[in-house]
Amino acid sequence: MRMAWAELHYIYRKEQTMQQNEQIIRTEYSELMQKSYIDYAMSVIVARALPDIRDGLKPVQRRTLYDMHELGIRHDRPYRKCARIVGDTMGKYHPHGDSSIYEALVVMAQEFKKGLPLVDGHGNFGSIEGDGAAAMRYTEARLMKITQEAYLADLDKDVVDFVPNFDETEKEPSVLPVRVPNLLINGAEGIAVGMATSIPPHNFSEVIEGVKAYMKNPDITTEEMMEFIKGPDFPTGGIVVNQDDLLNIYETGAGKVKIRGKVETEQVKGGRQRLVITEIPYTMVGANIGKFLMDVYHLVEAKKTGDIVDISNQSSKEGIRIVLELKKGADVENLCNMLYKKTRLEDTFGVNMLAVTDGRPETLGLVPIIRHHVNFQYELATRKYRTLLAKELDKKEVQEGLIQACDVIDLIIEILRGSKNIKDAKNCLMHGNTEKIKFRYKGSEADAKNLCFTERQATAILEMRLYKLIGLEIEALMKEHKETLANIAKYEEILGSRSAMAKVIVKELNRFQKEYGMPRKTSIENAREAVYEEKKIEEMPIILLMDRFGYVKTIDVSAYERNQEAADGESRYVIRCMNTDKLCIFTDKGQLHLVKILDLPYGKFRDKGTPLDNISNYNSSEETIVYINNLNSLFGRRLLFVNSAGMLKQVEGAEFDVSKRTTAATKLNEGEKLIMVEMLNETEGESIVLQTEKGMFLRFESAGVPQKKKGAIGVRGMKIDENDRLKAAYLLGDEECVIEEKDKQIMLHRLRVACRDGKGVKR
């Protein structure tokens, strides 16, 4: 009670304060929502999901690399725990979940995802087959050498702007001074609000050549640029098979790249062959390798091919090796085409070269991306050499002062000995003010009045140590001054001439290319469309068997006839059908599940079979089978439907020939169940018997039941009391039907035939 009063008092005081400081802003709600959503969308686009055109990095990647740089985790130093890196990054720069930071760190260390890994990972950083990385407390990392040299160098030379972090306690770079086109080399993937980016990786050496070509000819066309940058170069290799489409993709910045895995044929003893997949499409990295193996398995199970005897994944750290053992005389070319068509051995990589350009997202072609990169390099070089020039000019000023001081060192010593404090001595050195200086020798005061050192020179003279007066030290000072003058001339030349700056940039690119360039992994060609001629399935009659546990299988007719007695005794359903047919499963939920007979296991009579749940949408724990038959047997016939509310109807069997694997077979109200589905014989005298739980029976002719669509509820078959409900329904033909009810037998054929929608009789 005391707590409640305290809360009420707090709320009252808060309302009083709000009323005193209240400022009501009247605005349209839709406009406010629109503005808020746009602000949110732009925050996701710019600050999280899309890379910057200049360094090709997302904010989380940039912050992680910068934090590692700040922590001093260099390539030549020991590894550090990833948990330390992630925690430091999250606490200082990236105020989001630790999982996003660690995932970014892991991806930057994975050679099978990045054309140029930026992080050197130590420990389990996942595998190409989809195994996840170990927890961050178990793994370690450090920067790669190329990352230090080409991504993080010169941060101390004012080459990029630094901005406050999220809580304004630290400074972080708005962009990293990346010297290579990282956006093309490593590519990018990201999903923002209403847009997504997908940029494939490219070959390091080719991209460098493309940059140099643009610097020589800024008017270069996309076609001319592609003489240097042939196309994507995926870390997993593979083959790009639509070379002719690449020009349009690189011109517009969007399109689809078709990639295939690399398949080799090996000869095996006995005249047999095997297919060996040594390179996979980039899109297959991860769990899709396992999916590919399952797809091949399903093709064999579904008898789409009989050429594959065995499949095994023999991949290791040395590379991908997926082996398909073939039977003797297999059609290798047709089998390869089938794998391209039916599995992800041939896949498409959707290209959308979207990046943040001048603060807004923009889709760019190949040449514009390189143009932005080159402009960024000139900006970096300009800021770098301006900073270096300023430092050299400062050094020059100090050096000239020290050299001049060496010539009058005796006078300076006399000034220092005659001064009461540093201020007086400094004032004398800078302005020749000798009023507060006591000189030992006549004439020294006149010389002192001629001194005019700058403030920086005066400070350096006062801080100079006596050993600097040694002859060798003076010579070293003269030599250093000469080097400083040479550097000043060099930096002024670079800053004064764009061509001179271009030479410096190209020289640095050549060094990176020589040290880190690698041969291309992905082949590019114009391959023929994979044409797969699917072998026609030989149609033949088979027997479908389903036991009481729900295990289903198909066997040959002759095998069934040899074991007919055992098959009929052990099976819940025995259905004659064709192997090209479909199985129709009607359940008490009013659902129809369709299964291709070819999807069912075909084998010997004593084979166990497969649970029906595993090969269909039917769930035995939630549904009960009411009726099961093959689809072909329903054509030209009618099915009788009876539900627990006593509603019934006739439905044409052809209505259940649908494309969906699961569909509604009838309409049921809440709480109702389907009691019976039977095929009508449509013979004279065919009748229906409805039975309630309280022993009421009603018999009427089936012809009195109207035909409806499968989506209809039907008509009432029997008037049922409120405290009673329908228990069962029977379809009577020529044969007698006897049921047990309360320890007595009831012969349904002897029930009087009445009209539909009656109350029935008590039995």
Side-chain angles (χ1 to χ4, degrees):
M1 188 66 180
R2 188 179 302 167
M3 178 64 73
W5 278 111
E7 289 177 356
L8 287 172
H9 180 68
Y10 169 76
I11 293 169
Y12 171 76
R13 292 293 301 274
K14 188 176 180 181
E15 288 180 352
Q16 290 290 104
T17 306
M18 289 176 65
Q19 287 176 6
Q20 293 173 3
N21 303 322
E22 185 173 352
Q23 184 180 3
I24 298 174
I25 301 173
R26 297 188 178 276
T27 183
E28 181 66 31
Y29 185 72
S30 60
E31 293 178 2
L32 182 65
M33 289 296 294
Q34 183 180 7
K35 181 181 181 302
S36 299
Y37 185 78
I38 291 173
D39 292 343
Y40 160 73
M42 288 305 296
S43 173
V44 173
I45 290 167
V46 176
R48 293 191 75 173
L50 300 186
D52 193 291
I53 188 73
R54 295 169 293 177
D55 61 6
L57 297 170
K58 297 181 186 179
V60 63
Q61 296 171 324
R62 184 181 305 118
R63 288 164 175 167
T64 304
L65 293 177
Y66 178 68
D67 186 75
M68 294 177 72
H69 173 73
E70 286 294 287
L71 291 173
I73 313 174
R74 313 296 166 84
H75 79 281
D76 53 352
R77 295 186 183 178
Y79 294 93
R80 297 283 287 276
K81 283 282 187 185
C82 290
R84 169 66 193 278
I85 299 169
V86 171
D88 203 62
T89 303
M90 183 168 58
K92 288 183 178 178
Y93 309 115
H94 199 67
H96 303 289
D98 58 350
S99 60
S100 63
I101 301 172
Y102 186 52
E103 285 172 12
L105 179 66
V106 167
V107 170
M108 287 191 289
Q110 292 177 329
E111 295 182 352
F112 50 86
K113 283 190 178 178
K114 291 293 181 183
L116 184 70
L118 304 179
V119 173
D120 180 10
H122 182 65
N124 178 12
F125 274 76
S127 72
I128 194 172
E129 297 180 27
D131 301 318
M136 66 181 81
R137 61 184 178 273
Y138 300 124
T139 55
E140 298 177 331
R142 63 185 178 189
L143 291 171
M144 297 286 279
K145 186 180 178 184
I146 178 66
T147 312
Q148 290 177 213
E149 295 181 352
Y151 287 70
L152 296 162
D154 299 330
L155 277 170
D156 58 339
K157 295 181 177 63
D158 191 34
V159 289
V160 294
D161 294 330
F162 278 73
V163 296
N165 68 337
F166 61 91
D167 61 359
E168 298 187 357
T169 58
E170 301 279 346
K171 292 281 189 179
E172 62 175 311
S174 59
V175 64
L176 289 186
V178 179
R179 305 304 170 86
V180 294
N182 180 63
L183 191 67
L184 291 174
I185 292 169
N186 274 329
E189 287 185 5
I191 300 174
V193 178
M195 60 185 67
T197 184
S198 180
I199 304 173
H202 294 76
N203 184 266
F204 186 89
S205 298
E206 290 182 5
V207 172
I208 297 297
E209 288 295 330
V211 172
K212 292 190 290 186
Y214 176 83
M215 294 179 72
K216 288 180 181 177
N217 177 22
D219 298 323
I220 191 170
T221 64
T222 305
E223 189 173 3
E224 291 170 339
M225 180 62 73
M226 289 184 64
E227 293 180 8
F228 304 96
I229 304 175
K230 309 294 182 183
D233 187 25
F234 298 103
T236 56
I239 306 168
V240 173
V241 296
N242 59 332
Q243 185 177 12
D244 289 343
D245 297 337
L246 295 181
L247 178 60
N248 183 60
I249 292 172
Y250 284 137
E251 188 73 45
T252 62
K256 291 183 178 179
V257 176
K258 284 187 179 180
I259 42 179
R260 287 180 184 173
K262 189 174 182 181
V263 183
E264 298 177 354
T265 305
E266 294 181 359
Q267 297 293 330
V268 190
K269 292 180 180 179
R272 293 187 298 110
Q273 293 178 310
R274 64 160 66 114
L275 290 181
V276 181
I277 300 168
T278 56
E279 295 176 6
I280 59 174
Y282 186 63
T283 53
M284 201 190 284
V285 170
N288 287 323
I289 293 181
K291 188 177 184 305
F292 168 75
L293 298 174
M294 289 303 299
D295 288 343
V296 175
Y297 171 77
H298 289 316
L299 288 174
V300 176
E301 281 290 303
K303 298 187 175 52
K304 295 288 184 182
T305 177
D307 292 338
I308 300 176
V309 177
D310 186 33
I311 180 170
S312 59
N313 185 4
Q314 302 176 10
S315 304
S316 62
K317 291 182 179 180
E318 281 68 40
I320 292 293
R321 182 177 172 84
I322 301 173
V323 180
L324 279 68
E325 301 286 349
L326 308 181
K327 72 177 185 181
K328 192 173 182 179
D331 188 347
V332 175
E333 184 177 355
N334 191 53
L335 180 59
C336 286
N337 288 336
M338 183 193 71
L339 294 175
Y340 291 143
K341 282 288 186 182
K342 301 289 185 181
T343 71
R344 299 192 73 167
L345 193 59
E346 178 179 297
D347 207 354
T348 57
F349 182 94
V351 177
N352 185 30
M353 297 198 287
L354 181 71
V356 177
T357 308
D358 298 327
R360 62 186 182 88
E362 186 176 350
T363 301
L364 301 167
L366 182 61
V367 174
I369 289 176
I370 293 178
R371 181 186 303 120
H372 280 282
H373 170 75
V374 171
N375 291 339
F376 183 52
Q377 296 311 302
Y378 279 118
E379 180 186 343
L380 291 177
T382 301
R383 294 183 62 163
K384 174 183 176 181
Y385 288 108
R386 278 179 182 170
T387 302
L388 291 175
L389 178 61
K391 288 182 178 179
E392 292 297 321
L393 289 173
D394 290 344
K395 285 172 62 178
K396 175 193 172 189
E397 181 182 345
V398 171
Q399 289 166 355
E400 288 178 345
L402 293 176
I403 291 170
Q404 186 180 349
C406 288
D407 294 336
V408 290
I409 192 64
D410 294 332
L411 176 61
I412 291 173
I413 292 172
E414 189 175 350
I415 292 171
L416 294 177
R417 293 184 68 180
S419 302
K420 291 183 178 180
N421 52 53
I422 294 177
K423 183 179 178 182
D424 294 342
K426 192 173 184 180
N427 195 22
C428 180
L429 291 174
M430 291 174 60
H431 307 294
N433 190 343
T434 60
E435 293 178 0
K436 297 181 180 181
I437 308 295
K438 293 181 179 180
F439 293 93
R440 297 179 62 183
Y441 303 104
K442 294 179 180 180
S444 296
E445 184 175 357
D447 293 337
K449 288 182 178 179
N450 294 326
L451 296 177
C452 57
F453 291 104
T454 65
E455 183 177 1
R456 188 178 285 108
Q457 289 173 339
T459 302
I461 291 169
L462 293 172
E463 293 175 352
M464 184 177 65
R465 297 186 179 184
L466 290 175
Y467 76 86
K468 289 287 185 182
L469 300 176
I470 299 173
L472 291 176
E473 289 294 329
I474 295 174
E475 288 181 13
L477 178 62
M478 298 294 291
K479 184 179 180 182
E480 186 181 349
H481 180 57
K482 188 176 180 181
E483 290 176 357
T484 301
L485 293 176
N487 287 335
I488 290 172
K490 175 184 173 184
Y491 298 154
E492 287 178 342
E493 181 186 1
I494 292 172
L495 290 169
S497 169
R498 191 175 177 88
S499 60
M501 188 176 290
K503 288 180 181 178
V504 173
I505 295 172
V506 169
K507 182 180 179 181
E508 194 171 37
L509 289 175
N510 287 334
R511 182 173 68 83
F512 291 144
Q513 184 179 4
K514 182 179 180 181
E515 188 169 354
Y516 302 107
M518 291 183 293
R520 164 173 281 277
K521 295 178 181 178
T522 302
S523 303
I524 298 177
E525 60 185 53
N526 281 315
R528 290 186 304 169
E529 181 75 19
V531 179
Y532 164 58
E533 295 181 4
E534 191 168 351
K535 294 180 180 179
K536 291 185 178 180
I537 299 168
E538 184 181 349
E539 192 174 20
M540 65 176 184
I542 57 173
I543 304 296
L544 185 147
L545 303 176
M546 179 176 168
D547 64 18
R548 63 183 182 276
F549 300 110
Y551 283 77
V552 65
K553 64 187 174 186
T554 58
I555 61 173
D556 188 66
V557 175
S558 59
Y560 168 72
E561 291 174 348
R562 290 194 301 270
N563 303 275
Q564 184 170 359
E565 185 176 350
D568 293 344
E570 297 171 3
S571 303
R572 182 181 173 190
Y573 295 104
V574 178
I575 301 173
R576 290 179 177 268
C577 55
M578 304 300 291
N579 61 340
T580 55
D581 204 351
K582 291 181 180 179
L583 183 66
C584 299
I585 306 163
F586 296 87
T587 70
D588 61 344
K589 297 276 189 179
Q591 295 292 310
L592 166 66
H593 302 292
L594 287 173
V595 184
K596 290 182 180 180
I597 301 294
L598 286 171
D599 290 341
L600 304 178
Y602 178 82
K604 300 177 182 179
F605 172 69
R606 285 300 170 190
D607 289 347
K608 187 176 182 181
T610 302
L612 189 58
D613 301 49
N614 294 355
I615 48 180
S616 70
N617 292 335
Y618 166 69
N619 189 337
S620 60
S621 63
E622 298 179 1
E623 303 174 279
T624 302
I625 296 175
V626 176
Y627 181 70
I628 188 168
N629 209 336
N630 59 309
L631 181 61
N632 284 340
S633 65
L634 305 186
F635 292 139
R637 305 291 296 273
R638 294 179 185 177
L639 294 179
L640 174 68
F641 282 76
V642 182
N643 68 24
S644 58
M647 307 299 288
L648 56 140
K649 63 181 178 181
Q650 292 185 30
V651 182
E652 186 69 37
E655 283 201 41
F656 302 106
D657 184 13
V658 293
S659 58
K660 294 182 179 179
R661 293 188 65 188
T662 298
T663 186
T666 186
K667 185 176 181 181
L668 295 175
N669 292 322
E670 188 176 353
E672 294 178 354
K673 287 189 176 182
L674 194 60
I675 287 179
M676 185 184 79
V677 178
E678 283 291 339
M679 187 182 294
L680 293 167
N681 295 315
E682 301 182 17
T683 58
E684 188 176 350
E686 185 179 40
S687 60
I688 302 166
V689 176
L690 301 181
Q691 176 191 0
T692 70
E693 289 185 347
K694 291 197 172 182
M696 299 298 292
F697 288 84
L698 176 65
R699 180 184 178 189
F700 53 90
E701 291 185 355
S702 62
V705 179
Q707 182 177 333
K708 301 281 186 179
K709 294 292 184 182
K710 65 183 177 71
I713 294 178
V715 297
R716 188 167 64 181
M718 184 180 184
K719 293 177 181 177
I720 305 173
D721 292 340
E722 291 184 3
N723 56 355
D724 197 5
R725 59 180 178 178
L726 197 66
K727 179 182 179 181
Y730 308 94
L731 184 62
L732 305 183
D734 296 332
E735 298 180 1
E736 290 190 358
C737 182
V738 181
I739 65 170
E740 291 279 344
E741 180 67 21
K742 295 182 180 179
D743 298 331
K744 64 178 181 179
Q745 291 187 339
I746 299 176
M747 302 183 71
L748 299 181
H749 276 79
R750 295 190 180 183
L751 293 173
R752 184 174 62 85
V753 178
C755 294
R756 181 181 60 80
D757 201 21
K759 293 197 69 173
V761 294
K762 183 79 173 179
R763 282 290 186 271

